[in-house]
Amino acid sequence: MIMSLPEEDLTCPVCCDIFTDPVLLSCSHSFCRGCLKRCWDSGLRECPVCRKRASKSSPPCNLALKNVCEALLQVRRQSSVEEEMMNCNLHGEKLKLFCLVDKQPICVVCQSSKLHKTHDCSPIEEAVLDCKDELTISLKILQDKLDSLKHIQRNSEDMFGYIKSQVLSTQRIIKDQFEQLHQILYEEESARLAAVKKEEEEKTARTKERIKDISAEVQSLRETISIIQEQLKENDMVLLKTFKDTQDRCRSIAFGSNSMSGLLIDVTKHLSNLKYTVLEKMLAHVDITSVTLDPNTAHPCLILSDDLTSLHYSKQPSHCPDNPERFHMSAEVVAMTALGSGSHRWVVETGRNQDWLLGVVSLSVRRNVEISARPEYGFWTLCFRDGAFRAMTSPPTTLTLSTTPKQIKVQLEYNKGTVSFFDNVNDTLIYTFKHTFTETLFPYFYTQSSHPLRIMPEKVLFTMLRQ
C-alpha cells in the first residue's frame, strides 16, 4: 500500500525530500517541521506554497503522513540491507550457491576460486530448506534435553525435603535404640548423631552443587534455543550466513552427567547392626543380622521397619525421590550387603506372607524397567505364590514340598557358583541354582503382601581372651 502512493505525495515542497516530522497547515499543505521553521524565520508566517497566512500557534503534526513516510523509509532501508545481503562481499556478485563444506553462501566466482573449487555446493533455495530442517532437528533435541534437565532439577530440589525427613527418621531411630542401651551408650549415641548431621551437610552440599550445575546447563540451553529461534525468524540469507556459527555453538554445548546416584543419606551406614557395634561396651549378648535392607533401593509401596530387617507391602505408596538406586516397577528391595566372594547365609521368616520372592540379584540389574526374575536377567530366586513354590528358572520349576516352610534359609556359595534354599526348621534343601558368578550380588526381596517378611537375627557370643 505504501509503495502504491506517488513519491511526490510524500515529498516536502521545500527540501524536495521525504517528509521528516511533517506538520499540517490550515490550508492543508504539509511541510517538514524544520523546513517550515527555516522559511518562517527568514520571512512572513505564511504557507510557502499558497502564501496563505498561518496562525500564530504551532502547526500540528501530520501523524498519518508521518507514519506513511517512516514506513516508506523503513522499506527502503530494509530493501537496501537485503540487496546488500544478497551480494558477495568479495566479488559483488549475487549469492546463488551454498558451500556444503564451509556452511556459507557463495557466488559463482567464489565457487571457481581455490577456496571452494573442490567443495560441494547446492543452490540457495535447496540450502535454505536443508538448513531449516537441520536447525529444527537441533532445536527439538535441545528442547528435549532441556525438558530432561528440568525434570532432574525438580527431582534434585525434591531431594532436599526427603534428605531432611531421612535425617529426622534416622535420628529418631538412633535415639530409640540408644535409650534401650541406657546411659552408658550416651557418648556413642552423640557420635552417631553427629555423623548423620555431617553426612546431611555433605549430601546437601553435593545436591546444591549438582543443582547449580544443572541450572547453568539449563541457562546455556535456553540461550542457545533462543538464538536458534531468532535465527529461524530471520530472512533466509541472514540464517545462512549465521548457520555455521549457530551449529558450532550447538555442538560446543557440553552436558554434564545426569546421574543423581549417591546423593541420599546412607541410612544403612548409620543404622545397620547398630546394637552390635557397641557390644564391646555392653559385654553382653545382642542380636545381629548379617543382612540389612537398603531403604534407598526400596519401591515406594514397600514399608521397612525402623531397624531395616523387615518389609511389607502397602497400597499407599510413600513419597520418595526418583533416585537411580530405587526399584520403580515392582515391590522390590535389596540389602546393603554386597556379596562378591565366599560363603553367605541368612534366614527370612515368611510367616503368613503368601506372595514373596527371595534370593540374590546382580548389581547390574536395571531398576527402572519391569524384568522377569530369571537367571538370564540376573535373578536367582525362590517364589511362593498362589500356594505353590517355584524355582524361578526359565521356565519356572514347580516344587513339591510336604510342608510349607515358615523360615527360608538362603545360602550363597559365590566361589562354588551355587544359591541354595532350605527349610530352616529342619534344614531340608528346597532347591539349588548353579551358575558361574562374575558380578557382585545383593540379597533380594519381593512381596505384595501386607504380612511382613523378616530377616531373622543371629545370636553372637562374646568371649574374653586372657593372656
Side-chain angles (χ1 to χ4, degrees), residues 8-134:
E8 55 267 22
D9 291 345
L10 305 177
T11 302
C12 174
V14 177
C15 64
C16 298
D17 203 350
I18 301 298
F19 284 108
T20 301
D21 191 14
V23 294
L24 180 65
L25 298 182
S26 59
C27 60
S28 299
H29 290 123
S30 294
F31 305 90
C32 297
R33 186 180 297 276
C35 294
L36 184 62
K37 183 177 184 300
R38 285 192 295 274
C39 291
W40 286 0
D41 288 345
S42 60
L44 298 175
R45 193 179 182 87
E46 60 184 16
C47 174
V49 175
C50 67
R51 303 302 178 183
K52 182 179 179 180
R53 298 282 294 182
S55 62
K56 293 183 180 180
S57 60
S58 298
C61 176
N62 192 339
L63 188 58
L65 182 60
K66 179 181 179 181
N67 292 338
V68 173
C69 292
E70 289 179 351
L72 175 61
L73 292 174
Q74 178 64 26
V75 169
R76 284 184 175 181
R77 286 192 294 269
Q78 187 171 351
S79 298
S80 176
V81 171
E82 290 179 355
E83 183 177 353
E84 182 180 348
M85 289 290 294
M86 292 300 294
N87 293 329
C88 176
N89 293 334
L90 295 177
H91 308 106
E93 296 290 333
K94 189 173 182 180
L95 298 170
K96 295 182 177 181
L97 300 172
F98 184 73
C99 178
L100 299 178
V101 176
D102 295 326
K103 305 295 184 184
Q104 60 182 11
I106 61 175
C107 68
V108 292
V109 180
C110 292
Q111 186 186 25
S112 302
S113 67
K114 292 181 179 180
L115 185 62
H116 299 282
K117 189 173 184 179
T118 60
H119 294 175
D120 291 334
C121 300
S122 66
I124 284 292
E125 295 76 10
E126 293 181 9
V128 169
L129 297 177
D130 292 341
C131 290
K132 282 187 175 181
D133 289 342
E134 191 171 341

